[in-house]
Amino acid sequence: MKNSITKYLETNTHAATLAFFRLAFGFMMSLSLIRFLSYNWVEKFYIEPVFHFTYYGFEWVKPFGTPTYLLFVVAMLSSIALAVGYRYKVASTLFFLSFTYVELMDKTTYLNHYYFISVISFVLIFLPANAYFSVDAYRNPKIAFQKIPRWTTDILKLLLGIVYFYAGLAKINSDWLLKAMPLKIWLPTNHTLPIIGSFLNQNWVHFAFSWSGMIYDLSIPFLLLYKRTRTFAFILVVIFHVLTKILFPIGIFPYVMIVSSLLFFESDFHKKWLNYIAGLFHFSLNIFENGKEKVTEFTGLYKAKLAILACFLIFQLTFPFRYLLYPGELFWTEEGFRFSWRVMLMEKAGYTQFTVKDSKTKKQIKVNNGNFLTAFQEKQMSFQPDFILEYAHFLHDYYQKQGFNDPEVHVEGYVALNGRLSKLYIDQNINLAKENESFDHKTWILPFNDEIKGF
């Protein structure tokens, strides 16, 4: 077993594949950040709000006013440097840190593809992605290699496979497969689309999309791995993600997944594209074809790097299953929902009315959430328990400063999930100001009183 692992780690592959991915990933990230800035989303999501919802353990990560723009500039410049392979180690580290900081500033904007970008950019820090077709390799022949360890590309394929396969597992649930929820709610909203629009109101189409989406997610990593089905699989990838781009507002995620799936192709494919790009800039790809192979030396530093990545992979494989440690329905409590590749599985809507009461005088007021939250923040807060708790603590602190004695904070909240009637969500008798965030189960979430079978 040990010999097999060592032999695998010593196996090399052409460096063009990793260089192609570095180039594509870096430029997609820079375009994404330009898009974010052009829509004025920095102002809208991070500067205008008076309150930000933070992740447990990362409460210290906050926007810092107008200078927050500098963070985006750093992320954008480092993504460009990462793409061209200029001072790669510094660029990849800066991009990971700046992008992840942005991601952590307000969980209202949480998206699976932002998490995927952080995961990939973290791993890229440890890979020799500048060994070929990079400014670094051109300037310093000592770090230029035509062949690099195979695991450096396999690890990216594995991470991509986890995203797809786990997303497919999550779709094996009774709401998705037996009720076609939430697609039965979402698809008809696109009925005005040309050609396919009229079909999106039909029940059989909702079920066809649900079942084919589950089968696609579960099978696509294996179809991409197998050479004989790879081209067919890539066609499916393009069709699937173009369709999702048309039907749902999910930003650049479809493009990221389409380009990332090209990792599974042979290195000759990537060399052809790099050669084409080199031609556009009037230089020859042959300057990187030096015949050198990066020989694996199991130094202490190298072993430490492998150990870090191995732990990271184990974390990626197990962390999505942490929901099994909590009682209750996952879609209802959302305890263990994020960072687990559960993509577009719920249509959830909520209503919250907070009451703040002076514990001494018993004076109480009804809170207008619009005084403290943006419409988007209020919408996200209304059906997510950790948001509700954090906002309750904010209200406690705010009204204490306004002269309330040890304010009590109660909420009347109703939530509707996947087409079900709206139900009372939070125990109104609980003073949320006395409840603290933790990894423990939130006992003040009222029972779902229904069952969604599956993963």
Side-chain angles (χ1 to χ4, degrees):
M1 181 68 177
K2 185 179 178 182
N3 288 337
S4 298
I5 294 173
T6 303
K7 189 176 179 180
Y8 168 72
L9 293 173
E10 291 175 338
T11 304
N12 278 353
T13 188
H14 201 287
T17 300
L18 189 56
F20 173 86
F21 181 77
R22 184 207 73 228
L23 187 66
F25 181 79
F27 275 121
M28 280 193 298
M29 294 306 101
S30 57
L31 290 174
S32 172
L33 289 160
I34 291 171
R35 173 175 174 268
F36 204 96
L37 289 164
S38 68
Y39 286 164
N40 202 29
W41 285 347
V42 180
E43 186 79 19
K44 179 180 179 181
F45 293 132
Y46 302 116
I47 297 178
E48 283 182 358
V50 297
F51 173 73
H52 294 280
F53 290 98
T54 59
Y55 290 91
Y56 181 52
F58 292 92
E59 294 83 359
W60 52 275
V61 180
K62 294 180 183 296
F64 28 86
T66 303
T68 304
Y69 278 102
L70 290 175
L71 191 63
F72 282 82
V73 171
V74 169
M76 188 169 64
L77 292 177
S78 56
S79 67
I80 295 171
L82 185 154
V84 300
Y86 175 68
R87 298 188 183 278
Y88 172 76
K89 291 296 181 188
V90 175
S92 56
T93 304
L94 270 180
F95 177 75
F96 165 71
L97 292 174
S98 55
F99 188 90
T100 304
Y101 191 97
V102 168
E103 186 185 357
L104 295 175
M105 283 195 300
D106 193 331
K107 63 186 174 189
T108 311
T109 58
Y110 171 81
L111 286 173
N112 281 291
H113 75 259
Y114 289 165
Y115 177 47
F116 179 68
I117 289 167
S118 283
V119 167
I120 293 296
S121 57
F122 173 75
V123 171
L124 280 175
I125 294 171
F126 299 92
L127 307 184
N130 59 339
Y132 188 85
F133 201 76
S134 72
V135 175
D136 288 347
Y138 177 75
R139 297 173 65 192
N140 183 4
K142 289 182 180 177
I143 65 161
F145 293 96
Q146 189 174 331
K147 292 194 173 182
I148 56 176
R150 178 182 160 187
W151 68 263
T152 59
T153 53
D154 286 350
I155 190 172
L156 296 173
K157 296 176 189 174
L158 177 58
L159 289 168
L160 191 66
I162 289 173
V163 173
Y164 275 121
F165 192 73
Y166 279 31
L169 280 181
K171 288 183 173 69
I172 304 177
N173 72 76
S174 53
D175 269 18
W176 184 269
L177 296 178
L178 303 182
K179 297 180 180 177
M181 282 292 183
L183 293 183
K184 189 172 285 189
I185 297 172
W186 293 340
L187 290 180
T189 62
N190 292 288
H191 70 279
T192 56
L193 286 173
I195 303 176
I196 63 172
S198 60
F199 293 99
L200 300 179
N201 281 319
Q202 299 187 29
N203 197 45
W204 70 268
V205 173
H206 308 152
F207 281 94
F209 270 64
S210 295
W211 280 82
S212 60
M214 180 269 292
I215 294 169
Y216 167 85
D217 280 340
L218 287 174
S219 62
I220 205 67
F222 305 102
L223 294 175
L224 285 168
L225 273 174
Y226 189 44
K227 190 174 181 179
R228 289 189 175 184
T229 56
R230 190 169 297 147
T231 302
F232 171 69
F234 183 69
I235 293 171
L236 290 181
V237 168
V238 173
I239 293 173
F240 179 85
H241 287 294
V242 168
L243 201 54
T244 55
K245 176 64 181 175
I246 293 171
L247 296 174
F248 308 112
I250 49 179
I252 65 160
F253 185 63
Y255 306 122
V256 171
M257 298 307 278
I258 290 173
V259 172
S260 297
S261 66
L262 293 173
L263 268 170
F264 289 85
F265 282 78
E266 302 295 330
S267 58
D268 286 346
F269 171 84
H270 306 111
K271 280 180 65 178
K272 285 178 183 174
W273 274 103
L274 294 179
N275 192 44
Y276 174 75
I277 295 168
L280 293 177
F281 291 91
H282 306 292
F283 67 91
S284 172
L285 188 64
N286 289 333
I287 61 177
F288 299 106
E289 292 288 313
N290 56 16
K292 287 170 58 182
E293 290 197 31
K294 191 173 179 62
V295 178
T296 301
E297 297 177 359
F298 292 93
T299 61
L301 184 62
Y302 194 76
K303 288 178 180 176
K305 180 166 72 174
L306 291 177
I308 291 171
L309 290 175
C311 291
F312 186 69
L313 284 178
I314 292 170
F315 176 81
Q316 289 299 320
L317 287 166
T318 57
F319 194 61
F321 291 104
R322 70 192 185 282
Y323 75 94
L324 295 171
L325 301 174
Y326 293 100
E329 169 52 48
L330 171 63
F331 288 5
W332 186 249
T333 67
E334 299 204 29
E335 291 174 316
F337 188 86
R338 296 187 205 104
F339 308 107
S340 60
W341 311 122
R342 296 179 181 277
V343 185
M344 302 188 74
L345 296 174
M346 295 191 301
E347 170 58 32
K348 211 172 176 185
Y351 162 81
T352 52
Q353 174 61 68
F354 284 84
T355 302
V356 179
K357 185 165 68 176
D358 187 308
S359 59
K360 187 175 179 182
T361 66
K362 305 304 178 186
K363 171 190 172 185
Q364 64 179 39
I365 63 164
K366 301 286 187 184
V367 177
N368 179 358
N369 296 327
N371 290 338
F372 307 104
L373 304 177
T374 65
F376 181 54
Q377 285 179 313
E378 184 176 3
K379 178 186 174 186
Q380 295 296 314
M381 178 274 294
S382 65
F383 56 80
Q384 300 185 68
D386 55 335
F387 280 65
I388 291 172
L389 180 62
E390 188 173 2
Y391 182 52
H393 278 258
F394 166 79
L395 293 175
H396 169 272
D397 295 345
Y398 176 83
Y399 283 99
Q400 193 163 45
K401 289 177 184 174
Q402 302 304 311
F404 276 58
N405 297 294
D406 191 18
E408 296 180 13
V409 183
H410 299 265
V411 65
E412 179 185 10
Y414 291 87
V415 168
L417 171 62
N418 282 351
R420 294 173 178 82
L421 293 175
S422 185
K423 296 179 181 178
L424 197 60
Y425 194 45
I426 304 295
D427 187 342
Q428 298 179 73
N429 298 314
I430 296 294
N431 175 11
L432 291 174
K434 297 296 183 186
E435 300 294 323
N436 293 314
E437 184 59 280
S438 72
F439 290 119
D440 294 336
H441 170 55
K442 295 175 174 57
T443 56
W444 38 267
I445 303 172
L446 295 175
F448 182 45
N449 292 328
D450 199 346
E451 186 178 14
I452 301 174
K453 295 179 179 176
F455 284 94

